[in-house]
Each structure stands twice: as structure tokens, then as C-alpha cells.
Amino acid sequence: MNIILKKELILLDIDVKDKLDVLEIMADNLHRLGYVKDTYKKAVIEREKVFATGLPTLIGGVAIPHTDIQHVDIPAISIARLNKAVDFVIMGDDSNTVKVDLIFMLAMKEEHAQLELLQSLMGILQDENALNYIKNEKSIDNIKIFISDKLQLGN
């Protein structure tokens, strides 16, 4: 996959008030680094309201926020690991939430690439050892290498 995962896109052990706060921080970082248009933040927040992205996993919860391809300049993944989990509505279940402490924000330029990446991410989310590693590893470099290898990003 031709998707960028750079160290600057991995935010470890950050403090946020709620899901809106983390979505804004991640979208602002992607925009500041030139990966997404200035419309991306509003679009990703609005999409999260309609199509929730929280997923219960073997260890806590994960969210995979993303939005339409027209808001993206360069395909990339941003990852945030939170100090304290925040509530995200569960994907496909508007009445329940999950405590999320790991977020994979996707910025895709092609619809099929987004689907392919989501499928690859599910492999990580269903692997307790992989989740444990990402949630506990201290080195951004090691996390970047680990996720790039798992998702076969080649960067």
C-alpha cells in the first residue's frame, strides 16, 4: 500500500478531554504536516457523528476515524495513544459506547485503498499481542516499524 506512516504522525500518551478533542488534535497535526486539506478536520468530525468508528477489542477499545477522499492531499495514517480512554460510539451500534485509548486516523486518496487498509487494520485489532505491543511500547520508531510491517506499508 502506498500510504505514509511517519514518526510525526504517531502521538503517544497524550491527554485529551473527549473524542472531539483527540479528533481535532490528530486532524490538525495531519493538516499542519501537509497530508490533508483544511476541510479534513470538519469532515472527519461530522462523519464520526453519523458513522461511528469505535470498536471494542480484546484489550480496551480502538477507533478508526476517517472521511471522504476529497479532503486528503497525501495518503497517510496517524496514530494516537491516549493516557486516559475516552468514549467513542461503537461502529454500527448508535446506542452504546466503548472506552477508546488507541486511535488510527486514516487519510486516504482512493476508496479501494481505504477498504484495503481497514481490512489490514482488523488483523492488528484482532491480535492481542499486537495491541499489547502498540499500547505499551515506548519507542515511536519501534511502533512505526511494527505497524508498517503489519500493514505492509513499505515506508
Side-chain angles (χ1 to χ4, degrees):
M1 277 186 268
N2 193 20
I3 301 160
I4 295 171
L5 174 60
K6 297 283 186 200
K7 291 178 359 177
E8 302 81 33
L9 297 174
I10 301 173
L11 309 172
L12 294 186
D13 306 323
I14 61 172
D15 293 306
V16 297
K17 299 181 296 254
D18 53 29
K19 76 176 176 187
L20 181 60
D21 197 20
V22 71
L23 292 175
E24 287 179 349
I25 289 168
M26 294 178 80
D28 285 343
N29 190 48
L30 279 163
H31 181 252
R32 184 178 52 81
L33 295 170
Y35 293 96
V36 299
K37 296 174 171 51
D38 60 356
T39 58
Y40 181 87
K41 177 167 66 173
K42 181 178 183 209
V44 83
I45 289 168
E46 289 303 312
R47 188 183 189 289
E48 187 69 29
K49 291 176 186 173
V50 179
F51 300 105
T53 63
L55 293 169
T57 60
L58 298 167
I59 312 166
V62 173
I64 311 174
H66 53 283
T67 194
D68 299 322
I69 60 176
Q70 70 262 25
H71 303 287
V72 176
D73 287 324
I74 302 168
I77 302 172
S78 179
I79 299 163
R81 185 171 73 194
L82 308 181
N83 278 325
K84 183 174 178 250
V86 297
D87 287 331
F88 270 76
V89 175
I90 296 175
M91 188 183 297
D93 179 2
D94 294 341
S95 59
N96 289 303
T97 61
V98 60
K99 293 279 187 196
V100 166
D101 59 359
L102 186 61
I103 297 100
F104 292 86
M105 183 174 276
L106 311 182
M108 299 290 102
K109 285 284 293 173
E110 301 170 31
E111 293 292 344
H112 71 87
Q114 190 159 288
L115 182 58
E116 190 179 325
L117 181 58
L118 283 168
Q119 291 171 335
S120 296
L121 266 176
M122 292 312 288
I124 292 175
L125 304 184
Q126 295 169 347
D127 181 342
E128 187 173 353
N129 292 329
L131 281 174
N132 252 327
Y133 183 84
I134 297 165
K135 289 186 178 195
N136 293 297
E137 175 57 42
K138 300 292 184 223
S139 164
I140 288 177
D141 287 318
N142 290 346
I143 291 171
K144 179 193 170 299
I145 291 165
F146 181 81
I147 292 172
S148 292
D149 287 349
K150 286 276 188 193
L151 298 179
Q152 300 174 338
L153 298 180
N155 62 60

